Amino acid sequence: NPIKARNADVYLVTKSTFVDFPNLWVGPNLTTLTQISDANPFQKEYNWGTAELVTWTSTDGVPLQGILYKPENFDPNKKYPMISYFYEDLSDGLHNYVPPNGRNIINATHYVSNGYLIFEPDIHYEVGYPGPSAVKSVVSGVQKLLERPYVDPKALGLQGQSWGGYQTLYIITQSQMFAAAM
């Protein structure tokens, strides 16, 4: 949240994107800000990535969206393996800074730094049908991305944990498009 100085017309905020670390910014208003910190200079030493909002329509006609993360050195003439990670709705995290770390989920920054595409599709749930809802949302999103020549159709993976783990197991019983699932 913006913080206003007690005795001056100066505001302090953090501002970030998937690429830009949440540094400190100050200014007389929220549209005229100057960066005053560089808290993550080591990032310049790494192949980071980009985040793009993608949209498609599910197999039952529902408009959906998700995030496609690409390597910073992305080459549209090259084929890339793609891992889909999902857990309900993730597209609202499009502008979140994602530091590389180890957890039980796919870390987009780590994987794009190592030459993967990461796709995070939102899932539209039909009450009582979580498995079929995941198939309709995830598979249709992957099919939409397969229209892009740089997505390798022979190197598609799925990853989910907890609730997403159940859905991963369900999806692989309904589709043969994925080479690996975790």
Side-chain angles (χ1 to χ4, degrees), residues 87-143:
Y87 191 89
E88 298 178 358
D89 291 333
L90 297 173
S91 65
D92 60 352
L94 175 66
H95 300 293
N96 289 355
Y97 184 80
V98 180
N101 65 22
R103 285 195 51 212
N104 59 339
I105 63 171
I106 295 293
N107 178 273
T109 303
H110 174 78
Y111 277 81
V112 297
S113 294
N114 287 284
Y116 287 83
L117 300 173
I118 299 298
F119 177 46
E120 293 184 350
D122 288 348
I123 298 176
H124 172 75
Y125 289 103
E126 186 178 337
V127 175
Y129 299 95
S133 297
V135 171
K136 291 176 190 177
S137 300
V138 175
V139 171
S140 63
V142 172
Q143 288 170 331

Side-chain angles (χ1 to χ4, degrees), residues 18-23 35 37-46 48 97-100:
F18 175 68
V19 176
D20 300 311
F21 186 83
N23 279 295
Q35 184 176 336
S37 71
D38 186 15
N40 195 10
F42 80 91
Q43 181 178 325
K44 295 175 186 95
E45 300 172 20
Y46 295 90
W48 208 256
Y97 184 80
V98 180

Side-chain angles (χ1 to χ4, degrees), residues 131-132 135 139 167-178:
V135 171
V139 171
Q167 292 167 84
T168 295
L169 293 174
Y170 188 89
I171 290 170
I172 62 172
T173 69
Q174 305 298 308
S175 173
Q176 300 297 313
M177 72 185 329
F178 300 99

Side-chain angles (χ1 to χ4, degrees), residues 6 10-11 24 31 33 58 77 91 97 113 141 144 158 163 167 169 181:
R6 186 173 291 140
V10 176
Y11 292 86
L24 297 175
T31 58
L33 297 168
S58 72
N77 298 311
S91 65
Y97 184 80
S113 294
K144 183 66 177 176
L158 283 177
W163 181 238
Q167 292 167 84
L169 293 174

